Amino acid sequence: MESIFKKISVLFIVLLCFNCSSGDDSPQPNPNPDPDTNPNPNKITTYDADVKAIIDAQCVRCHTVPAQNGAPFPMRNYTETIVGVNRDLVLLVKSTGANVMPPEGRLPQATIDIILDWEADGFLEK
Ligand code: HEC
């Protein structure tokens, strides 16, 4: 029992060390890894004023009813878009990988920043 505990402690310490050393030299895929990033702290970003236009222009052609191109849920209004938020909308929009939304390619950073700002302000409707 005690030896298992020791092994786990050693493993934990080793993991901690790995964590420390994996920092600066590895490439950063995401320029804004902090979910609390607030690109525009002087502005309160809301769905109605800022985000709806982006979703309508970039997402609703697939995320609608009936769904187009296999999009798994609609985002025609605030309530439906919050369903998307709970399914990693922010992560997918800022992704630099193949899972990026929209699938054709990452939005301009300025547009992504509006969505990050919306997140920082608490996903307000209005
Ligand atoms: C060309 C069609 C298309 C467009 C445009 C599109 N999506 Fe999607 N979306 C999909 C498809 C298909 C899936 C499911 C497959 C996948 O996860 O890659 C999906 C999945 C998602 C998911 C994850 C659902 C889950 O639970 O796995 C989110 C969140 C999402 N999209 C958000 C967005 C946002 C936000 C936009 C606009 C910025 C957008 N999508 C634009 C087709 C699209």
Side-chain angles (χ1 to χ4, degrees), residues 58-59 61-63 69-73 75 84 87-89 92-93 101-104 107:
Q58 303 293 343
C59 317
R61 69 179 174 281
C62 296
H63 289 268
N69 307 309
F73 60 93
M75 285 194 283
R87 295 176 69 159
D88 283 344
L89 181 150
L92 295 179
V93 165
M101 285 288 146
E104 310 89 276
L107 297 171

Side-chain angles (χ1 to χ4, degrees), residues 4-117:
I4 288 180
F5 183 71
K6 274 184 189 158
K7 279 179 193 158
I8 291 175
S9 306
V10 169
L11 188 70
F12 185 64
I13 290 165
V14 168
L15 283 175
L16 270 182
C17 294
F18 265 109
N19 242 349
C20 301
S21 61
S22 71
D24 297 338
D25 40 31
S26 58
Q28 269 295 354
N30 175 8
N32 280 322
D34 180 2
D36 297 327
T37 297
N38 190 348
N40 195 349
N42 298 319
K43 177 181 163 57
I44 299 297
T45 299
T46 68
Y47 173 81
D48 279 358
D50 309 282
V51 174
K52 184 180 193 308
I54 298 170
I55 303 291
D56 283 353
Q58 303 293 343
C59 317
V60 171
R61 69 179 174 281
C62 296
H63 289 268
T64 187
V65 176
Q68 301 296 308
N69 307 309
F73 60 93
M75 285 194 283
R76 298 165 300 176
N77 52 47
Y78 177 74
T79 306
E80 291 177 353
T81 302
I82 292 300
V83 172
V85 167
N86 290 325
R87 295 176 69 159
D88 283 344
L89 181 150
V90 175
L91 276 181
L92 295 179
V93 165
K94 69 182 183 184
S95 170
T96 51
N99 61 349
V100 71
M101 285 288 146
E104 310 89 276
R106 206 168 183 264
L107 297 171
Q109 188 62 46
T111 308
I112 295 172
D113 282 349
I114 294 171
I115 292 172
L116 295 181
D117 216 31

